Amino acid sequence: MIPIISVVGRSNSGKTTLLEKLIPEMTARGYRVATVKHDVHGFDVDREGKDSWRHKQAGAHTVVLSSPTKLAVMRDVPRDHTLDEIRCLFVHDVDLILSEGYKNDVQPKIEVYRRAAHPEPLCSSKDDLVAVASDTPLEMGVPCLDINDAGGLADIIEERLLRHGKEHSVCLTVNGRRIPLSPFAHNVLLGTLKGLLGALKGCENPDRIDLRVE
């Protein structure tokens, strides 16, 4: 399963700036990185008058823009998706997902904190905090690094999330909603799929399996 870590913090704390330093640090170490930006106010990535905008305005549920070098998908969703659902439905072929925001999600977090901007940090002991990037020393029970120390944060991410080997996992979605699996159900599905594919030529050692039933 692709590991996720969320960069969180109060407004204007420097989350995007930190990600701009952390992304090239991770890619320089050989990792393929995907990013997810959470916007509670909604967003529009298309420009008025463009063909794709006209498709969406005409009522298309999903619009795909394709070129030789990029692919973009815009689709209607009935609710705000969790990071786990986004990972399962949309993100593949990467080693790490870095998200900006998602303070209330269950994924591990790095908080960005600047004393000049806010009187106190956003996270508490209830959050799965792995590190703090700050312009002032803090005692929060986790490593507190300089707000510009992307290398140190990358070391923590590697140790916490990336050096324990890749484990196969099963992601089940029904009608677009992620279905939690017990360990027993997870192992049964994984074993059954790998067993069936092992009998097919060219599928003996699958790294990733995509199965869709409609």
Side-chain angles (χ1 to χ4, degrees), residues 168-170 178-192:
H168 286 95
S169 63
V170 175
R178 173 71 182 270
I179 306 300
L181 296 173
S182 68
F184 175 77
H186 175 277
N187 292 335
V188 168
L189 284 173
L190 181 60
T192 301

Side-chain angles (χ1 to χ4, degrees), residues 45-108:
V45 298
D46 212 2
R47 289 185 298 178
E48 184 174 351
K50 299 293 289 185
D51 290 347
S52 53
W53 179 88
R54 292 169 64 186
H55 293 181
K56 202 73 186 69
Q57 293 299 307
H61 173 276
T62 302
V63 177
V64 179
L65 290 81
S66 179
S67 78
T69 58
K70 295 180 182 179
L71 182 72
V73 178
M74 293 174 289
R75 60 180 298 172
D76 296 332
V77 294
R79 57 183 173 78
D80 200 1
H81 281 57
T82 66
L83 282 169
D84 186 44
E85 291 170 326
I86 291 171
R87 169 175 57 192
C88 183
L89 293 169
F90 305 114
V91 183
H92 307 286
D93 302 323
V94 300
D95 303 301
L96 175 69
I97 299 172
L98 295 173
S99 76
E100 180 177 343
Y102 288 97
K103 190 268 180 184
N104 294 320
D105 204 277
V106 298
Q107 306 298 334

Side-chain angles (χ1 to χ4, degrees), residues 3-4 15-16 20 23 26 42 49 52 78 95 115 126 142 154 163 173 187 191:
I4 301 173
K15 299 184 293 294
T16 302
E20 287 175 328
I23 293 167
M26 298 306 301
S52 53
D95 303 301
R115 185 177 293 277
K126 298 179 181 179
V142 296
R163 286 182 176 166
T173 61
N187 292 335

